[in-house]
C-alpha cells in the first residue's frame, strides 16, 4: 500500500469517525439533559417520538436530504446538530492531516477535544451521567486508537513512520 493510499484511507476514516463522534456527542448531550439512557438501540425524534431508521441518522447527510425536518412529523431539526457534526469532522480531519505521522498525538488530541467539550457542562446534577458519557467516549477512542495502531504497525512496522 502506498503512503498516499494509506494517508487517504485513514483521512476518510478520520472524517467518518469525526462526524460519528459529533453525532454521538449531540445525542449524549440531549440524553444527559433529558435523563435518558446514553446507550440504546433506538433513536427517536424529540418532537413526535417516532423511531428513526439508520438512514435518518447519517451525520450531516441526513440533515441535508431531509431538508432539516423530521421525515415523519416535519418538525424542524436544529441546525446545531449538523454544525456540531461538521465541526467534529473538520477538527478530526485537520488534526489527522497535521499529525498523521504521529498517531498517538492526533488520537490524544481527539480524545482531549471531546472530553473537554463533554465536561464543560457545569451542572452537578448530571455529573454521574457525564462520567458515564466519558467512559463511553473513552471506549470508542480506545477502540479506534488500537485499530489505527494496528494499521500503522502493519503498513510501516512502527508507530512512527519515517519521512
Amino acid at each position: 500500500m502506498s503512503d498516499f493510499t494509506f494517508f487517504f484511507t485513514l483521512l476518510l476514516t478520520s472524517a467518518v469517525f469525526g462526524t460519528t463522534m459529533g453525532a454521538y456527542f449531540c445525542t449524549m448531550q440531549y440524553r444527559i439533559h433529558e435523563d435518558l439512557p446514553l446507550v440504546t438501540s433506538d433513536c427517536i425524534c424529540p418532537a413526535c417520538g417516532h423511531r428513526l431508521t439508520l438512514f435518518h441518522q447519517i451525520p450531516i447527510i441526513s440533515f441535508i436530504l431531509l431538508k432539516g425536518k423530521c421525515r415523519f412529523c416535519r418538525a424542524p431539526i436544529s441546525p446545531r446538530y449538523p454544525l456540531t457534526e461538521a465541526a467534529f469532522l473538520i477538527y478530526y480531519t485537520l488534526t489527522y492531516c497535521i499529525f498523521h505521522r504521529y498517531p498517538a498525538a492526533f488520537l490524544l488530541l481527539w480524545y482531549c477535544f471531546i472530553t473537554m467539550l463533554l465536561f464543560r457542562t457545569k451542572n452537578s446534577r448530571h455529573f454521574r451521567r457525564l462520567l458515564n458519557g466519558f467512559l463511553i467516549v473513552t471506549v470508542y477512542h480506545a477502540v479506534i486508537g488500537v485499530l489505527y495502531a494496528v494499521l500503522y504497525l502493519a503498513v510501516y512496522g512502527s508507530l512512527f513512520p519515517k519521512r
Side-chain angles (χ1 to χ4, degrees):
M1 179 181 297
S2 73
D3 280 347
F4 177 76
T5 304
F6 183 72
F7 173 82
F8 191 72
T9 301
L10 290 188
L11 179 66
L12 288 177
T13 305
S14 299
V16 170
F17 185 63
T19 56
T20 303
M21 289 311 300
Y24 186 67
F25 179 76
C26 290
T27 301
M28 196 171 15
Q29 279 188 316
Y30 174 77
R31 290 180 178 181
I32 286 172
H33 181 67
E34 297 294 323
D35 286 327
L36 297 170
L38 294 180
V39 177
T40 177
S41 61
D42 296 335
C43 286
I44 60 167
C45 169
C48 67
H50 197 281
R51 184 172 180 250
L52 303 176
T53 65
L54 189 58
F55 172 76
H56 300 118
Q57 299 176 54
I58 302 169
I60 302 170
I61 296 169
S62 292
F63 182 84
I64 294 167
L65 293 176
L66 295 170
K67 298 180 179 129
K69 296 179 192 243
C70 172
R71 178 177 180 263
F72 306 101
C73 69
R74 306 305 298 158
I77 300 169
S78 172
R80 173 182 153 264
Y81 296 109
L83 291 174
T84 301
E85 293 161 0
F88 271 77
L89 165 79
I90 291 167
Y91 180 77
Y92 277 52
T93 54
L94 278 178
T95 52
Y96 173 75
C97 286
I98 294 168
F99 298 105
H100 70 277
R101 297 223 177 255
Y102 308 99
F106 68 79
L107 291 166
L108 183 63
L109 287 169
W110 291 353
Y111 179 68
C112 290
F113 175 72
I114 196 166
T115 301
M116 288 186 317
L117 288 177
L118 185 61
F119 281 106
R120 73 179 170 81
T121 304
K122 294 184 175 49
N123 189 340
S124 60
R125 185 181 123 216
H126 299 298
F127 188 73
R128 183 167 173 80
R129 296 180 58 72
L130 283 171
L131 285 178
N132 290 341
F134 170 72
L135 291 174
I136 293 166
V137 165
T138 300
V139 169
Y140 287 157
H141 281 80
V143 168
I144 198 81
V146 167
L147 290 174
Y148 275 59
V150 167
L151 287 172
Y152 270 83
L153 288 170
V155 171
Y156 295 115
S158 168
L159 289 178
F160 304 100
K162 295 172 180 49
R163 290 193 181 257

